[in-house]
Amino acid sequence: MGSVITGTGIGLPPHVVTNEALSRLMDTSDEWIRVRSGIEERRYADPGQGSTDLGVLAASQALADAGLRPEDIDAVIFATMTPDYLLPGNGPLLQAALGLPNIPTFDLRQQCSGFLYGLELADVLLQSGRYRRILLVGAEVHSPFMPWHLGWDTLIGRSPREITDAERAENTLSRDRTVLFGDGAGAVVIETREEGTGLLKTRLFTDGTGAGVLTMTGASFKRRPFVTPEQIAAGETLPFMAGKDVFKSAVTLMPQAVRAVCAEAGVAVEELDLVLVHQANLRIIEGVQKALGLPPEKVPHNIERYGNTTAATLPILFHECREEGKIRPGMLVAFTALGSGLHWGAALYRA
Ligand code: UT7
């Protein structure tokens, strides 16, 4: 039996924020952000709206799309690096909000590779025969990382106040990361169906020696207390990223992983109809496309509109490609991602 995606949905927050709007808060420009990352705008959640809320929107849509009721689901996998709380995870919060039965929920924290790891876990659970229908959600609300505590009302159009020079200087310190991230959610329902369709192969990798290139040390249970005002002031509650190192790993390891799953499945890379790459930077996506020797139309992207939504990029992209008719029955689709951990990998899927 194959593990087949039978429903998809997305949950997008209300505030659309352009590069131009961000340049009111810090020293940046539409040109810099577009040229370096391909991003034109991103969405931000309303204050008080969490990744569970966005996940619930996406999951409700995915359930309806699959023609299922909440009681049909056997397990939930929720991937996020921005949970509502440290404990419990988002899984039980989503289970309660959707009125799902008392089924098990698994919380994953593989960051940008969270959805990919979720696909692997869902496949293994389904193939064990102990579960028949799994809801897999990737959702993030990154906006609380953003340091412009006094700038939110200006940014989302609730106040005409121009921010002060001191606030601008403060916001500029983290511009290399803040402009890249957005909020959003995607969800899929995965069910067992006839052999030959669905997930064909997955290959996952971890290299913990690279943990330091993309990390957030500001809230740490190695410290007492685990977070202090000094750490917040020092910007340690924002992810640190050695951008160039992550970039190089991404354009090398994602194509390798795609080649590995193709080789294991006995298909040529040229036979792929689509490759869905984690949406972190348009230059990375294009790098992966060129390394695989595929034409640009086989490697779609939506980073222009959402920025990097970490665990949500792949399910949002898959949903949009399906809606736009780019994914049709019988097509061969590869997923690939790389992020903090380092975790990376690829999955091969027959629609
Ligand atoms: O999803 C998780 C995985 N993450 C990724 O895959 C991200 C991988 N890395 C990247 O995407 C890129 O490395 C970045 C987009 C983060 C940065 O691009 P870059 O071409 O490596 O730029 P850079 O960091 O070398 O910065 C170039 C210049 C610097 O100025 P100087 O030192 O040359 O004067 C930065 O200070 O650009 C400056 N800069 C900015 N200028 C305007 C950095 N951020 C900004 C900004 N606006 N937002």
Side-chain angles (χ1 to χ4, degrees):
M1 299 289 275
S3 302
V4 176
I5 296 174
T6 58
T8 64
I10 59 177
L12 298 173
H15 303 293
V16 180
V17 173
T18 62
N19 296 340
E20 203 58 54
L22 283 185
S23 68
R24 288 177 70 192
L25 292 195
M26 67 186 88
D27 294 343
T28 191
S29 65
D30 179 50
E31 194 201 349
W32 192 96
I33 301 172
R34 269 178 207 259
V35 169
R36 302 279 175 154
S37 73
I39 299 164
E40 295 170 18
E41 59 189 36
R42 73 286 293 139
R43 302 276 186 122
Y44 289 140
D46 240 347
Q49 192 175 34
S51 50
T52 300
D53 297 318
L54 299 184
V56 165
L57 292 174
S60 308
Q61 198 183 345
L63 278 176
D65 186 38
L68 297 177
R69 294 160 303 165
E71 54 270 35
D72 298 323
I73 294 297
D74 297 330
V76 170
I77 304 171
F78 201 128
T80 184
M81 71 167 198
T82 51
D84 292 7
Y85 309 111
L86 273 181
L87 62 149
N90 281 4
L93 304 180
L94 177 124
Q95 180 262 337
L98 283 177
L100 300 176
N102 294 342
I103 52 171
T105 65
F106 299 86
D107 284 288
L108 289 192
R109 42 174 303 177
Q110 266 66 27
Q111 295 71 242
C112 300
S113 303
F115 183 76
L116 208 56
Y117 272 67
L119 282 179
E120 165 93 329
L121 177 58
D123 189 37
V124 170
L125 294 176
L126 290 169
Q127 296 308 317
S128 76
R130 291 171 65 178
Y131 298 87
R132 288 172 307 146
R133 298 187 189 101
I134 291 180
L135 181 59
L136 168 59
V137 184
E140 306 287 353
V141 171
H142 294 115
S143 39
F145 283 141
M146 312 302 174
W148 46 83
H149 315 295
L150 300 174
W152 277 112
D153 285 349
T154 305
L155 192 63
I156 63 181
R158 289 186 181 162
S159 160
R161 184 186 79 97
E162 290 301 328
I163 60 154
T164 65
D165 288 348
E167 288 166 12
R168 189 175 185 87
E170 171 79 18
N171 298 341
T172 300
L173 293 174
S174 50
R175 66 181 177 175
D176 57 322
R177 287 148 287 162
T178 50
V179 302
L180 302 176
F181 291 92
D183 303 337
V188 297
V189 173
I190 312 182
E191 303 182 62
T192 42
R193 287 281 195 275
E194 71 274 18
E195 195 71 52
T197 56
L199 280 164
L200 304 179
K201 284 282 171 208
T202 46
R203 279 286 268 143
L204 303 180
F205 304 88
T206 298
D207 177 6
T209 65
V213 299
L214 188 39
T215 182
M216 195 186 84
T217 56
S220 160
F221 284 93
K222 288 169 77 174
R223 299 174 196 247
R224 299 173 195 191
F226 70 95
V227 63
T228 61
E230 290 76 22
Q231 289 172 276
I232 296 171
E236 292 175 17
T237 48
L238 225 134
F240 162 82
M241 180 165 73
K244 286 195 191 325
D245 293 333
V246 180
F247 193 105
K248 280 184 211 148
S249 298
V251 292
T252 314
L253 297 174
M254 285 194 282
Q256 278 177 16
V258 172
R259 288 191 184 284
V261 284
C262 286
E264 284 173 28
V267 302
V269 171
E270 301 72 55
E271 289 177 61
L272 295 172
D273 293 297
L274 282 184
V275 179
L276 305 186
V277 182
H278 169 55
Q279 305 286 292
N281 186 323
L282 185 58
R283 290 186 297 146
I284 294 176
I285 299 163
E286 289 169 350
V288 172
Q289 171 236 316
K290 286 179 185 139
L292 291 173
L294 293 172
E297 58 274 17
K298 285 195 174 185
V299 186
H301 44 84
N302 59 11
I303 187 167
E304 303 76 9
R305 285 175 284 130
Y306 305 126
N308 183 350
T309 58
T310 303
T313 72
L314 287 177
I316 294 176
L317 186 61
F318 185 81
H319 171 85
E320 291 192 341
C321 286
R322 211 162 156 254
E323 292 274 291
E324 291 162 15
K326 288 184 185 157
I327 298 176
R328 295 183 294 279
M331 279 187 160
L332 204 49
V333 181
F335 296 87
T336 186
L338 175 138
S340 169
L342 294 176
H343 297 293
W344 73 98
L348 195 60
Y349 181 83
R350 174 79 69 187

